[in-house]
Amino acid sequence: MKMNVLPPPAMRNITLFMLALAALTACTSDTFVGSEEEERLAKGETPISFGFDVPAATRASGAEAATALGNQFIVYGEKSEDGATAPAAGNYVFPNYQVNYAANTAYTTTSNTKNWEYVGYTHSSEYQTNIKTKDGSSAAVGASNAAQTIKYWDYSATNYVFTAVSAQQSDISAGNVTIQKNTSGSTVFDKGYTVTLSDIADPTKLYFSDRQVISSGSGTDRTAPNAYGGNVTLTFRNAASQIRVGMYETIDGYEVKIKKFYYQKEANPAFATMSTPVTTNFTANVPNLSTANAATLTVTYYADGTRVNQPKIAVTGTAANYITLAGSGLAADVTLATAANSPTYDNSGSFTTVFPQESNDKNLMLKLDYQLYNSKTGETINVTGATAEIPAAYLQWKPNYKYTYLFKISRNTNGSTGQGVVGLYPITFDAVSIEAENGEAEYITTVSEPSITTFGVKAGKYQVDKDEYEAGSDIYATIKDGSSVVDFTLGTNVNVYLATTTDATNFPITEASVAESLAEISTGTKKITTTLKNTDGTTSFTAAPAKVTTVPTEDGLTTTINALKLTGAKATTATTAYVIEYIKTAATYNTTGDTYVDQTAFDAAGTLYSDADGTTVATYADSSTPYYKRVSLKTMGTYAYKVIRVAAAP
């Protein structure tokens, strides 16, 4: 959402153009320019004024945007900043002024052009107590009966620096939120805020603006945003993150019911020790700090890169090693949905608020039991101890983002159906949708041990709500094995295939069906066939698959992690899909010596194949020779697969 004020051309003023609130919504950060209000000419100096205004689009305008900020914010501003130390007393411009919204009040005073006013307001003793500067003195005017005064642009100043914060007024008055403006630091980017929250404060109403610097040489057009003497642009970002979880299943002939989730209170536990059952809602091991706990937020600002001057929030408090979501949609015996676009959500799809954890280095560990039920025959199959891990790099929650984790259960599971036998194959998790004013992203994680996480990027934006990606996307895959991200070798322990089915209805391409196809000996009779695409940079991709160590993140930056990149993926069809294979350990075989077999064991070229995995055993010059080495399975291998479908571009 954006808020703007366009100053009357003849006025000599500074007007604050407030960009607010993409706060945990799917808004983007595009700049909108509103229509200019009626010109009101005045003589002499014109005061700084504040206001919100957005044209009718996807963002809230005027009063709605003001409501989101609780109809008020607190602005701090100084002029002629020349270092990291606190400004000289004469350089304070807005010493934590409160700016308040009232409908239909624009132009009733010279300092109000968009229904926002700061002049004349006084502050309660509670306000004075709970909003201070770093040295402990009040930064809110001084005495509680001292009124806020009008402010003018100083053309002798070299620059202005503005920051702002908005919290629920009742939380400030009650002392549940205290705000300390830090006026000095090691660099100018340290001059942020320290905010303490009680366990009953509402962090969803807490917003910090970007640090805005306007220099005297920024231009002469005062009507342009961020020009000296013109519009000052501030961007507010919510201090919290939000997450939700959904699940769906794709197992033909069965309904799937979740029975239990498991967790362990200790940090980074082994799956074997995750033994505390939960039947009422989704639970998994992942470090986090609940917003129901007291916390301290230290706000500084990024010093470089695409996030320069954006608030950087570090959170301290009593963190948990596991998360239990508030809803009951994924409680025991709830039958899961069967489609990704309408999964079964915890809490009916509502989000759970959590604090950011951009420095998180611990994985999400999921362990659960579920039941397969055939309504026609009454058959049940209980699958216990299915597990998965999502890499920490995809759990570094950022402020002002929404994360949706979608888990897909297929017959590819690593759970046990009894007697210690592991099957059906690994569960797959379709994971992590992120919505915020910077865009959206979606990660897709196969749940197994190992696990494969994928996401697609096109034209700099994450692809979301596709089944699964849009043609032209660059698709990245990260393999998680135990506690480590795999440093793989393409063509050795990682392969890319194009799978084709002769009957998409009765023989759909799934992780399990591809695994079975790759293990079959027969050629020519398979319902699903695979073609190796490790070096294909023409028919399937615009460049050959390759290992990379840098991948884009949802906020436009990058992170360092080992990944497979499929560049410019081309659309699949109803009968095709791409498949990524990871070989943790290959199966091994016994040879039992020369054994007579029937002539039909040879193919036309005289090549003999094993009866276990289709590898060549021997090639005879004379195809009539009825000998070959019989091969039997010695040890089972461990494999992980990820099926990827690519939709045609709209």
Side-chain angles (χ1 to χ4, degrees), residues 82-373:
D82 60 0
T85 58
N91 288 349
Y92 284 112
V93 181
F94 288 98
N96 283 349
Y97 268 29
Q98 184 171 2
V99 187
N100 298 296
Y101 178 87
N104 303 316
T105 61
Y107 297 109
T108 56
T109 68
T110 57
S111 53
N112 180 351
T113 60
K114 290 291 183 177
N115 298 320
W116 287 88
E117 181 63 88
Y118 63 88
V119 174
Y121 289 115
T122 59
H123 301 289
S124 66
S125 59
E126 291 85 2
Y127 188 93
Q128 295 289 317
T129 298
N130 298 323
I131 301 177
K132 296 183 176 181
T133 56
K134 189 173 184 179
D135 61 9
S137 65
S138 173
V141 181
S144 61
N145 61 351
Q148 294 180 166
T149 58
I150 198 165
K151 296 293 182 178
Y152 297 93
W153 190 271
D154 181 0
Y155 278 86
S156 69
T158 56
N159 63 30
Y160 278 77
V161 179
F162 298 92
T163 60
V165 60
S166 179
Q168 188 166 250
Q169 189 64 44
S170 59
D171 276 340
I172 296 175
S173 298
N176 294 321
V177 174
T178 63
I179 299 170
Q180 173 184 289
K181 172 60 184 176
N182 300 325
T183 57
S184 61
S186 299
T187 73
V188 295
F189 300 101
D190 295 333
K191 299 164 72 171
Y193 294 89
T194 299
V195 178
T196 58
L197 306 177
S198 75
D199 58 357
I200 60 173
D202 187 353
T204 67
K205 303 293 178 59
L206 181 62
Y207 296 89
F208 297 101
S209 81
D210 289 4
R211 176 179 180 270
Q212 183 60 61
V213 181
I214 299 181
S215 300
S216 59
S218 59
T220 58
D221 181 6
R222 296 198 311 270
T223 66
N226 295 330
Y228 203 81
N231 299 327
V232 178
T233 301
L234 297 179
T235 303
F236 282 91
R237 304 177 193 273
N238 191 266
S241 306
Q242 290 191 335
I243 66 170
R244 66 178 177 179
V245 171
M247 302 185 79
Y248 68 102
E249 57 92 3
T250 60
I251 301 179
D252 294 338
Y254 291 92
E255 296 175 351
V256 174
K257 296 181 179 181
I258 299 299
K259 306 302 290 185
K260 295 177 183 177
F261 296 99
Y262 295 92
Y263 75 97
Q264 183 70 13
K265 290 185 177 181
E266 284 70 21
N268 202 31
F271 282 121
T273 64
M274 293 172 63
S275 58
T276 304
V278 177
T279 60
T280 55
N281 43 21
F282 176 88
T283 302
N285 270 85
V286 61
N288 70 96
L289 179 60
S290 169
T291 54
N293 295 334
T296 298
L297 281 62
T298 302
V299 180
T300 55
Y301 301 94
Y302 286 95
D304 52 26
T306 59
R307 298 176 71 182
V308 62
N309 287 321
Q310 292 185 19
K312 182 179 183 180
I313 302 175
V315 184
T316 56
T318 303
N321 296 313
Y322 62 93
I323 191 166
T324 298
L325 298 184
S328 59
L330 292 175
D333 295 324
V334 171
T335 300
L336 294 185
T338 58
N341 59 355
S342 58
T344 301
Y345 283 111
D346 73 286
N347 204 25
S348 301
S350 296
F351 286 87
T352 296
T353 304
V354 294
F355 282 116
Q357 53 177 27
E358 292 192 57
S359 60
N360 174 53
D361 60 356
K362 300 295 189 300
N363 308 321
L364 181 145
M365 303 179 69
L366 180 69
K367 182 178 179 181
L368 73 159
D369 299 344
Y370 63 90
Q371 182 184 79
L372 308 180
Y373 173 69

Side-chain angles (χ1 to χ4, degrees), residues 425-495:
Y425 287 135
I427 304 170
T428 65
F429 279 39
D430 279 330
V432 196
S433 170
I434 302 171
E435 300 178 358
E437 51 90 12
N438 281 347
E440 300 179 8
E442 182 174 271
Y443 302 99
I444 300 174
T445 304
T446 63
V447 176
S448 63
E449 185 63 24
S451 307
I452 302 176
T453 296
T454 61
F455 65 94
V457 177
K458 185 177 182 181
K461 295 184 178 180
Y462 274 50
Q463 296 298 287
V464 296
D465 298 329
K466 305 294 181 183
D467 191 20
E468 291 169 335
Y469 299 110
E470 184 179 299
S473 298
D474 294 337
I475 301 172
Y476 297 84
T478 297
I479 302 161
K480 186 72 179 52
D481 190 357
S483 61
S484 302
V485 172
V486 174
D487 185 5
F488 62 88
T489 301
L490 182 63
T492 300
N493 58 346
V494 167
N495 293 298

Side-chain angles (χ1 to χ4, degrees), residues 370-414:
Y370 63 90
Q371 182 184 79
L372 308 180
Y373 173 69
N374 187 299
S375 58
K376 294 182 179 179
T377 65
E379 177 198 9
T380 61
I381 300 175
N382 292 307
V383 180
T384 61
T387 62
E389 284 191 75
I390 296 177
Y394 305 134
L395 298 161
Q396 293 172 344
W397 300 327
K398 298 176 177 62
N400 207 43
Y401 278 88
K402 285 184 176 179
Y403 297 78
T404 299
Y405 295 81
L406 297 181
F407 302 126
K408 180 180 71 176
I409 294 182
S410 74
R411 59 192 181 99
N412 207 21
T413 177
N414 64 343

